[in-house]
C-alpha cells in the first residue's frame, strides 16, 4: 500500500515542488522589481540636484538588503556616481549567477520627464532560489504528514469495517459448502459491506425458495406432460417411441401398449413416409438441430390427421440413451383456413374478381402450360376520368360504378377467360385460345361499346368509358410480368391518344417507354448533380433597342451528351411528376439571378420572366413564392411568371384565384405562346394576366415584305392582337424575332417589346453581367410600366 502511495503521489509531489518553487521565485523577483522601481523614483530628486552625498547614503541603505550583491548609480552620461559591492568569497563565487536589474531614473519638471541617470542592482540568485526552496519544503512536509495520517486512519478503518465482515462472509460460504444447507452472515451495518451481506442473505433465502419451487415444478411438469391438451411424445435415435402423453393417446385412439417400443414411422401415411425419414436423417447426422414438417398421421380407427411435427434432438441424454421431446399438432382446421385465406388474398373484396396476385398466378400457369398452339392475350383497361366520380359523387358511387362495370364485362366473357381487378379502376382480362388475337380485338370493341351506355346510379345516370391496352404472348413478351407491362404501356398510349378506345402493343411503344424511363433517370441525376442551368434571353424595347428584362430558359447540360432538348425532358418530367422539383429549381435559380441583377450597376431595374408548368399551380404556391421572395430579398414586381394557354385549360378550376393571390404579392403574369391555343380571347378576358406574348409562328410570317396574302394576314392578326391588348390594358411581347425585316415590321404594327435571336440567344447570366460596364443594358422603368410605356 505504501509502495502504491509512493508510486501515485511521488510524481505529483515532485511536480508540486517544482511548480511551487518556480512560482515563489517569480513572486520574489517581482518584488525586487517593485523595489527597483520605488528606489529609482526616490533617487531622481538627488540626481537632479547633484546631491551626491545623499545619493551615496541612499545607495548604502539599499545595499543593506541581504539579497543584493551590488548597487551602482550612473548619471545620464553613464558615469558611475556611486558603487557599493559586497565582498565575500561565497558571494564572489556566485557572482556569475547574480541577476542584474536595471532601471532608468527620470525626474519630472513642469510636466516633462527628464532622464537623469540609471540605477543598477545585482541580486544574488542563489538567495532567491534558496528562499523559494524553503517555502516549498514547508508545504511538502505538511503534505506528507497529512497523507501518512490519512493512510494510517484508512488502515485502521479497513481492519474493522472491511476485513471482519469479509471473513464472516467467507465463513458462511464455507459452511454452506460443507453442510449443504444455506448459512447466513451475522453482520448488520448500513455501509456498502452491510448491503453486500444483506444481499448474500437474501440470495440464500431465495435459493431455498427456488429449490422448493423446482421440486413442485417437477411434479407439475409430469402432470402437465400427461394431461396438457397437446400431443407430446418422445422417441429415441432409432425412431422408437419411448413415451407418449395421455392426451396423445386420447387424440390418436391408441393404447399405450400399442405404441411404446414401436417405430414412429409406422404411423405415418405411406405418401409422406419418405419425407419424414429424410428429415429424420438430417436431424440425426447433425445437419438440423430441430425437425419441423407437416405430415399425415394414421389414427387407430384408420382415419388420417393433418399434423405439424416438431422434434428436438436428444433433449434427454441420460444413461438410458438420448430421446427427443416432440410435439404433434393437429392442423386440419388450419389447413382449411389457410386455403380460405389464400382464396381471399387472391380475390378482390369489392367485385369478387381475382386481384393482381391471383391474376398473375393464373397468367403464369397459362404461360407454363402453353404448348405453342394457343396464343395468350391480355387486355388491360381502366376507366376514363374515374377520379372525377370519386371526387364529385363520393367513393360509394365509385364502388357502384366498379361493380356495374364488373357485371357488364363479365357477361362478355367465356368460362375459361380470367377476369381480374388490380385495384382502383384498373382491370385485366386473359384470353387463352387459338383465336385469342382476334377475340381480343373483338372483346375490346365490345368493352368500349358496352361501357359507353349510361350507368344508372339510383336516379342519376353517368356516362363512362375505358382505355384498353392489348398485348400477346409470345409475340410481345416472354413472361407474365412483361406481358402485363406491355398491355399497360398500350393502355397509356390509348389514354394519351384520346381515351375511349383500344390500342394493340407494338415494339415502338416499348422503346418509347424505355426512352421515357431513361429520361426520368437523367432528370434524377441532373437534379442530384446540379446539371440544370438557367440561361437568359434578353427582352428589349423595340424602339430604343435597350434591354429591359430577361427570360430564364432551362437547360440540362449532360456531362457526356451535352445540352439536351428541353421538350425531351420537360414532357417526361410532367408525366412522371418530376416537374414539381424542376419547377422549384427554376424558381430558385431565377430568384438568384434577380438578386444578382439588382446588385449590378446597369441591370438593377431589369426583370426576370420564368416559365411555370400547370402542375406547379398547387394551393400552397402563393405562400411558397412569398417565402422565397422574402428569403432572396428581391422586389416581387420584377418577377414575371409565364404560363401557356394549355396551363389555363388543364388547371382552370381555382387557377384564377391562385393567379390573383400571386399578383397580390406584386408579381405579374404573361400569357406565353399566345395564338396557338383554342380559346385565346376568352382566356385574355377571364384570367388576370398582365402581358401577352405573340407566338413565334406569327413572327415568321413577316419575313417577306412583298405583300403576299400570308404576310397581310399575319400582319393583320398581330395588329389586331396589339389593338385588343391596348384596349384590355395588356403589354405585348413578340417572340422569335430573328431578322431586321421582322423587327421593322413589328415596330410599324405598334409592337413595343420583343425578344429573339436578333437581339441575342439565351446565355448564362454572367455573360450579361460581364458586359455591364459597356452600358448596353439600360433599365429605368418599373416592372409594371416597363412593357406598357417602354420608349
Amino acid at each position: 500500500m505504501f509502495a502504491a502511495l509512493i508510486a501515485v503521489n511521488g510524481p505529483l509531489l515532485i511536480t508540486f515542488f517544482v511548480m511551487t518553487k518556480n512560482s515563489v521565485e517569480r513572486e520574489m523577483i517581482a518584488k525586487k522589481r517593485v523595489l527597483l522601481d520605488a528606489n529609482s523614483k526616490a533617487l531622481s530628486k538627488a540626481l537632479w540636484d547633484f546631491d551626491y552625498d545623499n545619493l551615496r547614503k541612499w545607495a548604502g541603505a539599499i545595499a543593506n538588503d541581504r539579497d543584493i550583491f551590488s548597487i551602482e548609480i550612473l548619471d545620464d552620461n553613464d558615469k558611475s556616481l556611486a558603487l557599493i559591492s559586497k565582498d565575500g568569497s561565497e558571494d564572489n563565487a556566485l557572482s556569475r549567477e547574480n541577476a542584474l536589474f536595471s532601471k532608468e531614473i527620470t525626474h519630472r519638471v513642469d510636466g516633462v520627464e527628464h532622464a537623469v541617470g540609471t540605477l543598477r542592482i545585482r541580486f544574488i540568485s542563489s538567495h532567491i532560489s534558496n528562499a523559494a526552496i524553503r517555502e516549498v519544503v514547508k508545504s511538502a512536509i505538511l503534505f506528507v504528514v497529512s497523507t501518512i495520517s490519512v493512510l494510517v486512519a484508512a488502515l485502521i478503518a479497513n481492519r474493522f469495517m472491511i476485513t471482519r465482515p469479509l471473513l464472516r462472509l467467507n465463513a458462511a460460504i464455507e459452511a454452506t459448502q460443507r453442510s449443504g444447507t444455506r448459512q447466513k452472515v451475522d453482520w448488520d451495518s448500513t455501509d456498502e459491506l452491510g448491503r453486500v451481506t444483506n444481499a448474500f442473505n437474501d440470495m440464500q433465502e431465495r435459493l431455498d425458495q427456488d429449490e422448493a419451487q423446482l421440486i413442485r415444478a417437477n411434479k407439475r411438469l409430469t402432470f402437465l406432460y400427461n394431461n396438457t391438451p397437446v400431443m407430446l411424445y418422445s422417441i429415441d435415435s432409432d425412431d422408437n417411441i419411448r413415451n407418449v402423453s395421455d392426451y396423445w393417446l386420447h387424440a390418436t385412439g391408441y393404447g399405450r401398449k400399442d405404441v411404446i417400443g414401436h417405430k414412429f414411422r409406422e404411423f405415418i401415411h405411406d405418401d409422406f413416409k419418405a419425407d419424414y425419414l429424410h428429415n429424420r436423417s438430417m436431424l440425426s447426422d447433425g445437419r438440423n438441430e430441430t425437425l419441423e414438417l407437416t405430415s399425415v398421421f394414421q389414427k387407430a380407427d384408420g382415419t388420417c390427421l393433418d399434423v405439424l411435427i416438431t422434434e428436438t434432438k436428444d433433449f434427454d441424454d441420460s444413461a438410458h440413451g438420448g430421446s427427443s421431446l416432440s410435439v404433434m399438432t393437429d392442423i386440419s382446421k388450419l389447413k382449411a383456413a389457410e386455403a380460405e385465406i389464400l382464396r381471399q388474398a387472391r380475390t378482390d373484396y369489392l367485385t369478387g374478381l381475382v386481384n393482381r396476385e391471383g391474376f398473375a398466378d393464373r397468367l403464369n400457369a397459362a404461360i407454363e402450360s402453353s404448348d405453342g398452339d394457343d396464343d395468350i392475350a391480355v387486355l388491360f383497361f381502366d376507366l376514363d376520368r374515374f377520379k372525377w366520380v370519386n371526387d364529385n359523387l363520393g367513393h360509394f358511387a365509385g364502388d357502384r360504378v366498379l361493380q356495374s362495370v364488373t357485371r357488364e364485362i363479365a357477361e362478355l366473357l367465356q368460362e375459361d377467360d380470367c377476369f381480374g381487378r388490380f385495384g382502383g379502376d384498373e382491370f385485366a382480362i386473359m384470353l387463352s385460345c387459338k383465336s385469342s388475337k382476334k377475340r381480343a380485338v373483338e372483346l375490346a370493341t365490345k368493352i368500349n361499346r358496352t361501357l359507353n351506355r349510361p350507368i344508372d346510379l339510383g336516379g342519376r345516370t353517368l356516362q363512362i368509358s375505358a382505355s384498353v391496352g392489348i398485348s400477346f404472348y409470345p409475340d410481345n413478351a416472354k413472361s407474365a410480368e412483361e406481358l402485363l407491362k406491355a398491355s399497360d404501356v398500350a393502355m397509356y398510349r390509348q389514354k394519351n391518344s384520346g381515351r375511349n378506345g383500344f390500342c394493340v402493343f407494338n415494339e415502338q411503344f416499348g422503346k418509347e417507354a424505355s426512352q421515357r424511363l431513361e429520361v426520368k433517370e437523367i432528370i434524377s441525376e441532373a437534379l442530384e448533380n446540379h446539371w440544370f442551368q438557367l440561361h437568359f434571353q434578353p427582352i428589349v424595347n423595340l424602339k430604343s433597342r435597350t434591354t429591359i428584362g430577361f427570360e430564364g430558359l432551362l437547360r440540362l447540360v449532360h456531362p457526356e451528351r451535352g445540352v439536351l432538348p428541353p421538350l425531351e425532358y420537360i414532357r417526361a418530367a410532367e408525366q412522371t411528376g418530376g416537374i414539381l422539383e424542376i419547377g422549384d429549381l427554376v424558381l430558385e435559380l431565377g430568384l438568384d439571378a434577380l438578386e444578382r441583377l439588382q446588385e449590378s450597376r446597369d441591370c438593377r431595374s431589369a426583370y426576370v420572366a420564368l416559365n411555370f408548368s400547370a402542375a406547379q399551380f398547387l394551393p400552397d404556391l402563393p405562400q411558397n413564392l412569398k417565402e422565397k421572395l422574402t428569403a432572396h430579398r428581391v422586389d416581387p414586381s420584377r418577377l414575371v411568371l409565364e404560363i401557356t394557354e394549355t396551363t389555363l385549360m388543364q388547371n382552370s378550376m381555382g387557377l384564377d384565384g391562385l393567379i390573383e393571390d400571386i399578383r397580390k404579392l406584386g408579381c405579374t403574369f404573361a400569357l406565353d405562346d399566345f395564338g396557338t391555343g383554342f380559346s385565346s380571347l376568352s382566356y385574355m378576358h377571364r384570367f388576370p394576366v398582365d402581358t401577352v406574348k405573340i407566338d413565334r409562328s406569327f413572327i415568321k410570317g413577316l419575313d417577306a415584305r412583298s405583300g403576299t396574302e400570308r404576310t397581310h394576314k399575319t400582319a393583320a392578326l398581330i395588329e389586331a392582337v396589339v389593338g385588343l391588348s391596348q384596349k384590355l390594358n395588356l403589354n405585348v411581347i413578340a417572340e422569335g424575332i430573328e431578322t431586321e425585316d421582322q423587327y421593322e415590321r413589328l415596330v410599324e404594327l405598334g409592337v413595343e417589346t420583343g425578344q429573339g435571336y436578333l437581339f441575342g440567344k439565351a446565355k448564362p447570366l454572367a455573360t450579361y453581367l460581364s458586359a455591364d460596364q459597356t452600358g448596353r443594358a439600360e433599365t429605368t422603368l418599373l416592372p409594371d410600366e416597363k412593357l406598357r410605356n417602354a420608349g
Side-chain angles (χ1 to χ4, degrees):
M1 183 175 294
F2 281 106
L5 182 64
I6 293 173
V8 173
N9 291 334
L12 295 177
L13 185 60
I14 293 172
T15 303
F16 170 76
F17 180 83
V18 174
M19 293 178 65
T20 305
K21 173 181 173 296
N22 293 337
S23 178
V24 171
E25 285 182 355
R26 287 193 297 272
E27 184 178 352
M28 288 182 175
I29 291 173
K31 290 180 179 178
K32 301 303 180 184
R33 291 189 181 277
V34 172
L35 177 63
L36 180 66
D37 292 341
N39 286 316
S40 66
K41 293 179 181 178
L43 293 172
S44 64
K45 183 67 169 62
L47 275 172
W48 180 261
D49 297 334
F50 302 103
D51 188 359
Y52 298 134
D53 290 336
N54 283 332
L55 198 66
R56 293 186 184 93
K57 291 177 182 180
W58 194 275
I62 298 173
N64 287 332
D65 190 329
R66 64 181 300 274
D67 293 333
I68 294 178
F69 175 73
S70 67
I71 179 171
E72 184 178 10
I73 302 174
L74 306 174
D75 61 9
D76 55 349
N77 294 320
D78 291 337
K79 179 180 178 181
S80 178
L81 302 178
L83 173 62
I84 300 174
S85 177
K86 293 182 180 179
D87 296 329
S89 59
E90 181 183 355
D91 291 339
N92 289 330
L94 297 176
S95 62
R96 62 181 178 273
E97 300 180 4
N98 295 336
L100 175 62
F101 294 87
S102 180
K103 176 68 176 181
E104 184 180 29
I105 302 173
T106 61
H107 184 69
R108 178 182 292 271
V109 177
D110 297 331
V112 179
E113 294 284 346
H114 297 275
V116 296
T118 304
L119 174 62
R120 292 179 180 174
I121 300 178
R122 192 179 300 274
F123 293 96
I124 303 173
S125 301
S126 61
H127 288 189
I128 297 174
S129 179
N130 292 337
I133 291 174
R134 285 194 298 274
E135 292 295 326
V136 173
V137 167
K138 292 176 184 178
S139 301
I141 291 172
L142 180 61
F143 175 77
V144 170
V145 170
S146 62
T147 302
I148 293 174
S149 300
V150 171
L151 179 60
V152 171
L155 290 173
I156 295 172
N158 178 71
R159 174 64 182 173
F160 290 96
M161 300 178 65
I162 299 178
T163 305
R164 291 179 63 189
L166 286 178
L167 291 174
R168 293 190 182 185
L169 179 61
N170 185 62
I173 294 173
E174 292 178 349
T176 300
Q177 292 174 341
R178 288 194 304 270
S179 64
T181 59
R182 295 176 177 84
Q183 302 294 323
K184 296 183 179 180
V185 181
D186 184 15
W187 183 266
D188 187 15
S189 67
T190 58
D191 57 7
E192 293 293 334
L193 283 173
R195 288 195 288 271
V196 171
T197 55
N198 289 336
F200 178 80
N201 293 337
D202 291 342
M203 180 187 69
Q204 296 289 70
E205 185 175 350
R206 286 197 301 271
L207 288 175
D208 285 335
Q209 295 173 357
D210 291 344
E211 185 176 3
Q213 290 177 358
L214 284 174
I215 294 173
R216 291 194 300 269
N218 186 47
K219 295 179 180 179
R220 181 66 176 168
L221 180 61
T222 302
F223 175 81
L224 290 175
Y225 181 83
N226 286 301
N227 295 280
T228 190
V230 177
M231 292 180 282
L232 301 174
Y233 65 99
S234 299
I235 57 177
D236 59 20
S237 57
D238 294 326
D239 198 36
N240 297 313
I241 299 177
R242 299 286 301 277
N243 195 16
V244 293
S245 67
D246 293 347
Y247 185 81
W248 192 96
L249 297 174
H250 171 75
T252 61
Y254 291 101
R256 195 174 299 276
K257 61 180 178 57
D258 298 327
V259 295
I260 299 298
H262 289 264
K263 294 188 180 298
F264 186 79
R265 72 191 70 168
E266 298 175 9
F267 303 96
I268 298 295
H269 191 278
D270 291 341
D271 294 341
F272 297 87
K273 192 170 294 184
D275 186 32
Y276 171 76
L277 292 175
H278 172 70
N279 281 273
R280 279 285 300 167
S281 65
M282 295 180 67
L283 184 67
S284 300
D285 59 19
R287 284 178 287 173
N288 287 338
E289 291 297 324
T290 59
L291 179 148
E292 185 171 308
L293 79 156
T294 56
S295 189
V296 176
F297 186 87
Q298 292 180 321
K299 297 171 64 175
D301 59 3
T303 60
C304 292
L305 195 66
D306 289 317
V307 294
L308 171 65
I309 298 174
T310 306
E311 180 181 329
T312 62
K313 179 182 179 182
D314 296 341
F315 88 97
D316 178 16
D317 195 14
S318 63
H320 301 288
S323 60
S324 71
L325 176 61
S326 304
V327 180
M328 191 167 66
T329 307
D330 182 3
I331 59 171
S332 300
K333 293 182 179 179
L334 184 62
K335 282 276 190 179
E338 185 182 66
E340 177 61 20
I341 291 173
L342 182 61
R343 186 193 68 78
Q344 292 179 358
R346 297 181 176 181
T347 303
D348 176 54
Y349 74 96
L350 180 64
T351 61
L353 303 175
V354 293
N355 59 16
R356 182 185 294 272
E357 182 181 356
F359 188 91
D361 287 343
R362 290 280 299 273
L363 183 56
N364 275 315
I367 291 175
E368 291 175 0
S369 61
S370 176
D371 55 6
D373 294 335
D374 294 343
D375 290 325
I376 298 174
V378 170
L379 290 81
F380 190 90
F381 68 93
D382 73 358
L383 307 181
D384 300 328
R385 300 182 182 87
F386 180 73
K387 185 177 182 299
W388 183 91
V389 178
N390 282 333
D391 292 344
N392 293 275
L393 303 182
H395 288 277
F396 179 74
D399 290 346
R400 292 186 60 184
V401 169
L402 295 174
Q403 291 170 339
S404 175
V405 168
T406 300
R407 290 192 299 269
E408 295 286 342
I409 301 302
E411 294 179 358
L412 305 177
L413 304 179
Q414 299 177 1
E415 185 177 353
D416 294 336
D417 299 336
C418 180
F419 186 20
R421 177 186 174 220
F422 282 16
D425 61 331
E426 293 182 339
F427 295 86
I429 300 172
M430 179 186 71
L431 309 177
S432 180
C433 58
K434 292 183 178 180
S435 58
S436 61
K437 291 183 179 180
K438 180 181 178 182
R439 272 203 62 212
V441 175
E442 293 175 351
L443 180 59
T445 304
K446 292 179 181 179
I447 289 174
N448 289 131
R449 187 183 304 121
T450 299
L451 295 185
N452 281 333
R453 295 197 294 263
I455 298 176
D456 184 10
L457 294 180
R460 177 168 185 168
T461 58
L462 179 69
Q463 191 80 27
I464 202 165
S465 62
S467 298
V468 185
I470 305 174
S471 62
F472 302 109
Y473 173 86
D475 296 353
N476 304 136
K478 303 300 180 184
S479 66
E481 182 181 359
E482 293 177 355
L483 193 60
L484 285 171
K485 181 180 178 180
S487 58
D488 187 30
V489 169
M491 184 270 289
Y492 275 103
R493 182 74 175 210
Q494 175 60 35
K495 189 173 289 289
N496 293 331
S497 300
R499 310 184 183 186
N500 191 22
F502 67 88
C503 178
V504 179
F505 179 83
N506 64 41
E507 295 300 326
Q508 183 60 31
F509 296 169
K511 293 178 181 178
E512 292 175 358
S514 298
Q515 290 174 354
R516 286 195 298 271
L517 180 60
E518 181 183 0
V519 172
K520 180 181 178 182
E521 293 174 351
I522 291 176
I523 291 173
S524 299
E525 271 192 286
L527 289 169
E528 182 178 353
N529 298 309
H530 308 292
W531 293 346
F532 280 115
Q533 299 179 6
L534 207 58
H535 289 191
F536 295 86
Q537 186 176 45
I539 301 173
V540 302
N541 179 338
L542 296 183
K543 292 184 178 180
S544 62
R545 297 188 77 151
T546 56
T547 301
I548 60 174
F550 298 92
E551 179 180 1
L553 301 172
L554 188 65
R555 297 291 184 262
L556 197 164
V557 184
H558 195 279
E560 297 177 358
R561 297 169 56 182
V563 180
L564 300 185
L567 291 178
E568 180 178 328
Y569 54 83
I570 292 298
R571 185 180 296 111
E574 290 176 339
Q575 294 174 350
T576 60
I579 192 65
L580 293 178
E581 194 170 356
I582 293 178
D584 286 341
L585 177 62
V586 168
L587 184 57
E588 284 290 340
L589 294 175
L591 292 177
D592 285 341
L594 196 54
E595 194 172 2
R596 293 174 62 190
L597 285 172
Q598 71 182 13
E599 294 174 355
S600 67
R601 189 187 65 188
D602 295 323
C603 294
R604 59 174 54 95
S605 298
Y607 70 92
V608 170
L610 301 176
N611 292 281
F612 263 53
S613 168
Q616 293 179 256
F617 283 90
L618 301 175
D620 60 347
L621 177 60
Q623 182 61 30
N624 290 341
L625 189 58
K626 180 181 179 181
E627 293 174 357
K628 291 181 184 296
L629 288 167
T630 303
H632 286 271
R633 302 186 304 276
V634 297
D635 183 359
S637 63
R638 295 174 57 217
L639 178 64
V640 179
L641 306 183
E642 295 191 0
I643 54 178
T644 63
E645 295 177 48
T646 305
T647 299
L648 301 178
M649 292 174 62
Q650 293 179 354
N651 200 7
S652 60
M653 295 182 62
L655 181 61
D656 48 353
L658 288 176
I659 292 178
E660 189 59 40
D661 289 340
I662 294 173
R663 292 181 81 245
K664 289 178 181 178
L665 298 177
C667 303
T668 58
F669 279 86
L671 185 58
D672 198 11
D673 300 334
F674 182 78
T676 60
F678 296 100
S679 305
S680 302
L681 297 179
S682 64
Y683 285 125
M684 289 174 63
H685 171 70
R686 175 181 172 185
F687 292 99
V689 296
D690 305 275
T691 302
V692 173
K693 300 188 73 173
I694 302 175
D695 187 69
R696 66 185 65 246
S697 59
F698 289 92
I699 309 305
K700 288 181 179 180
L702 299 177
D703 280 336
R705 302 190 56 152
S706 58
T708 62
E709 183 179 358
R710 179 171 179 268
T711 303
H712 286 306
K713 288 183 178 179
T714 300
L717 286 172
I718 294 175
E719 190 173 14
V721 170
V722 172
L724 180 62
S725 298
Q726 290 176 347
K727 293 291 185 182
L728 296 176
N729 202 27
L730 300 177
N731 306 314
V732 177
I733 298 177
E735 295 183 292
I737 304 175
E738 299 181 357
T739 66
E740 289 290 341
D741 288 342
Q742 294 172 352
Y743 162 72
E744 293 174 1
R745 189 70 176 119
L746 287 169
V747 172
E748 292 175 2
L749 294 173
V751 178
E752 299 176 338
T753 314
Q755 65 185 95
Y757 287 173
L758 178 63
F759 309 109
K761 297 183 178 180
K763 301 175 183 178
L765 184 65
T767 305
Y768 301 103
L769 294 180
S770 63
D772 220 356
Q773 307 303 323
T774 65
R776 292 179 59 84
E778 179 184 345
T779 54
T780 58
L781 302 178
L782 295 176
D784 57 343
E785 301 171 336
K786 58 185 176 293
L787 301 180
R788 194 173 304 137
N789 303 319

